[in-house]
Amino acid sequence: MITVSKSLLKAKMLEYFRRVEETGEELIVTSHGTPTLKVVPIRSKVTPEAAFGVIRERAEAHGDPVEPETEEWGEV
């Protein structure tokens, strides 16, 4: 987490904004030592296809995944 005063932020705002974008770190802005603002990067949502696409190509389904396997586990 980056902490910066309002006056320093005013002088180097683009530098701080770029750092938040690149690192994903939150930026806390203070006024007389008291936190007043929080700047956070916007994260794009990842689709399930993008997150699990590689696994989907290699995964195999065998039978019904929610059917109980009493033969293997016995009665519970």
Side-chain angles (χ1 to χ4, degrees):
M1 177 171 47
I2 309 163
T3 304
V4 62
S5 67
K6 284 182 180 179
S7 59
L8 186 55
L9 178 65
K10 182 179 177 183
K12 298 183 177 190
M13 189 173 296
L14 288 177
E15 180 182 324
Y16 281 105
F17 285 177
R18 286 188 186 112
R19 184 171 170 188
V20 169
E21 288 175 330
E22 291 171 3
T23 66
E25 239 181 317
E26 294 180 353
L27 172 67
I28 303 297
V29 183
T30 62
S31 178
H32 304 289
T34 303
T36 56
L37 301 168
K38 182 184 347 183
V39 179
V40 296
I42 296 175
R43 301 278 185 211
S44 60
K45 294 185 179 183
V46 177
T47 64
E49 290 77 20
F52 299 106
V54 176
I55 296 171
R56 183 178 296 210
E57 295 170 3
R58 292 185 271 173
E60 295 180 14
H62 299 279
D64 185 359
V66 294
E67 182 180 325
E69 294 289 333
T70 55
E71 293 173 11
E72 181 180 345
W73 292 95
E75 291 295 325
V76 180

